[in-house]
Amino acid sequence: MRERDLRVLRAELGGSQEAQLKDRIFHGAVGPAAALHGLGAFPSSRGRPAAAAPDSPVLLSLQSKLQSWSKGYSCSGVVGRDVGQLLQAAIQRQSHDINVMVVVNDTVATMMGCRLGTKPCEVGLIVGAGTNSCFMEEARYVESLDDNEGRMCVNTEWGTFGDTGAMADILTTYDEHVDAGSLNKGKHRFEKLIGSLYLGEIARLLLVQLAQDKALHAGGTTPQLRTQGMVTALEVLNISEDQGGLAAAQCLLQKLGLQPSDPDCFTVQQVCLAVVTRAACLCATSLAAMLTHMRKNRELPQLDVCVGVDGDTFQCTATLVSAVDDSRAQGVAVVAAVALRLEAQRREVDQLLQPLRLAPRARQQVQALLQCEMERGLRQETHAQASTRMLPTYVRATPDGSERGDFLALDLGGTNFRVLLVKLRSREAGGICMVSEIYSIPPEVAQGPGSQLFDHIVECIVDFQTKQGLWGRTLPLGFTFSFPCQQKSLDQGILLNWTKGFTASGCEGKDVVELLREAVRRKNQFDLDVVAIVNDTVGTMMSCGYDDPNCEVGLIVGTGTNACYMEELRNVEAVPGAEGRMCINMEWGAFGDNGCLDEFFTHFDAQVDRVSLNPGKQRFEKLISGMYLGEIVRMVLVELVEKELLFQGRPCPALQTPGIFPTKFLSTIESDGLALRQASAVLQNLGLAASVEDALLVRKVCQVVSLRAGQLCGAALAAVAEKIRDNRGLAQLAVTVGVDGTLYKLHPHFSQHVQQTVKELAPRCTVTFLQSEDGSGKGAALVAAVACRIAQSRAAPATGQ
Ligand code: BG6
Ligand code: GLC
């Protein structure tokens, strides 16, 4: 017998060799996915985190493809196929009415079926004919999962450990023989050191060697001793026992046709002990590796986990709970029952969210519909029926860098009202320099009498001028006014209707510039020289256009949403002339107000619209922008609670409050990293006690709602890019979109959704997105600067806008 083999068999695996093996099993136990894949680890069922009982796992997939047979099985035509389906087919062939719900590995069934008091097991361990284990892994470490939240039970299939040679130095010649005589040669090498199917054979081969070496006094080998399977694992185990072990050894030797002497019985007992101890040692080492891995991945100083039996391993207290006879059956039943319940719930949730999902075809439809509405809005005879107003802005060119001077700017209509001083200098002289103040517009002012709103604006200008020492100077002013205005010139804008959170009376149908001038006159303290009124989309396009001359589109996705772009003047029927281009404020927020998008509105959208300040108006905006997304999510959550799919159906009065779920919650909940914890915290703050499943579901709702918004916005932008490309007869268009708005800038995934959809729907356009860092006030000043230049050049002859 080889010295090394003996050492190994005497379980001299302790100390460094054991530690090495432990490391090899779980590759140092961090960044586990690769190591687990090396082990052939398969995700099996989705579970919940630490404190949660695994009695409600979320089953990801009910498919179960057989990777390979092991132990004594090798039926043909099964490997690579779904075992559940094969069983279902067999049941149907026999005309039984049984539905196969789940296929689980025995380790998983054991884990699910065992518990210690109220404490559920999070590790399943099988040491039977074969050996294997499963454990609840952090989902973020399971690479094959899209999700980072919660846990999933991973079937390690650790029996295959060593199949790629990692155990070469601990395999003995007996192990090689056992493997050579097995049904799955070269496979499940670790299992063949531990599983009861193999222990008897290892012991037998050892005895053969001892007999050949004349180390057994009873004589040479007998035919029985040379027969495969003549020693069973049970015999080996019985012989290893202190009590009765020698008697069992005597029986075995007799069965093998040998004359047992006392020293022989003792030798046989030592052999069996070595075989069993090695198996136990390997198993414990692997379990220790797995527990350490779990502890590290959970970032715990101490892991307290239930496995089965009893014992302490490293920093982990593992309570080993013996499976009673029917544990596995119970486990399977539990999994099946939970799977049924969750499957039904998942279906219900999916059904509820389905209308909020946009198929690729729907995205194309939206793009095509907007393209059509754009045409209709530009044409005189169809303009009145078009939902996108396509308003001429009288801005005819993007900045060329020659704009100079000091300007005042107002920026009204976004989250903040700003007054700015913008100094336009040559790049050599320092470029553009801005100072600004933010003022609040309280809702009672935004929704009160118009005169009060404009008086408030004038008060803010006075305050700003005082702070900046501007008294006595009448600077030209560019006014970013983020509402739909009919313009006949740069410095005139008739408010068509308020949108977003504004409803100030007496303004619609009036020239906003005139309303501002009147308020200045009422104040009677200073003069204002308003030279240009621009929409925020136009201000943003101009602002970004200063840095990138390719910027010919302006996009806002903030409180509201809208876009502008440079259209060929020949297509703008409302403005005479056929040469050159003009920036068109699309007012796409109103897209669909004529019914053309009705098939895309869900009943959640209808509810949000109904309780808004402007029912029936800005329907597209209400699917996309920051003022409404939180409300859509709230409506969905209310229904999920009603259907008892969320918060276990407990009534949630907080959710009935309009505005309680602002859109910034979507950004928090959907952010990566600690998202689930943040989702729970957000819900907690609303007084909603959320389980992990609740938090996951709320996050799913947020994701569906923001994905739809991003895709709709992308589809609309694709229509704009395609229109520009088409106008210019280009095979490929390169264009930059200047973007602003809190939703676009702050939501973690919104911008990707938009950009991806544009790529998908406008493949012949290379669209670059440039975020405006300066707000649209800078753009308004640039427009004012051009207006001043034109005015001056009119005084002296020249060209320009
Ligand atoms: C700002 C622009 O930065 O973004 C405004 O200066 C614009 O003109 C606003 O209206 C849009 O975003 P939000 O999120 O403030 O509505
Ligand atoms: C609303 C306004 C529009 C503005 C947009 C973004 O849709 O009607 O003019 O551009 O919000 O602020």
Side-chain angles (χ1 to χ4, degrees), residues 8-14 18 21 25 125-127 131 158 190-196 199 202 236-237 240 272-289 309 313 320:
V8 171
L9 277 168
R10 284 197 193 116
E12 287 175 4
L13 268 177
E18 184 172 306
L21 182 64
I25 292 173
L125 171 67
I126 296 283
V127 192
T131 182
W158 78 15
F190 188 62
E191 177 164 279
K192 287 172 188 163
L193 309 182
I194 297 175
S196 64
L199 294 190
I202 301 171
V236 173
L237 286 170
S240 316
C272 291
L273 251 176
V275 171
V276 170
T277 313
R278 182 183 70 155
C281 226
L282 287 169
C283 196
T285 306
S286 314
L287 184 58
V309 208
T313 328
L320 303 177

Side-chain angles (χ1 to χ4, degrees), residues 413-414 481-485 497-500 535-537 556-563 585 587-590 618 621:
F481 184 71
S482 315
F483 301 95
C485 284
N497 53 270
W498 286 116
T499 56
K500 300 177 283 193
N535 187 260
D536 53 356
T537 53
I556 299 282
V557 197
T559 316
T561 183
N562 189 14
N585 167 15
E587 284 298 327
W588 79 17
Q618 301 292 109
E621 179 160 273

Side-chain angles (χ1 to χ4, degrees), residues 411 413-416 418 480 482 500 536 540 556-560 740-743 745 774-777:
D411 186 353
T415 312
N416 297 308
R418 283 198 198 90
T480 302
S482 315
K500 300 177 283 193
D536 53 356
T540 299
I556 299 282
V557 197
T559 316
D740 209 339
T742 38
L743 182 63
K745 284 174 158 179
D774 307 313
S776 64

Side-chain angles (χ1 to χ4, degrees), residues 631 634-635 638-639 641-642 651-660:
E631 275 300 277
R634 186 177 70 83
M635 298 300 182
V638 166
E639 194 160 323
V641 172
E642 275 168 16
C652 301
L655 273 184
Q656 302 297 336
T657 315
I660 194 137

Side-chain angles (χ1 to χ4, degrees), residues 398-399 432 434 536-548 551 738 740 770-780 782-783:
T398 48
I432 296 181
M434 298 197 301
D536 53 356
T537 53
V538 182
T540 299
M541 181 187 80
M542 295 297 277
S543 178
C544 293
Y546 188 78
D547 299 314
D548 179 350
C551 183
D740 209 339
L770 183 60
Q771 279 195 25
S772 158
E773 301 305 337
D774 307 313
S776 64
K778 172 174 138 185
L782 286 166
V783 176

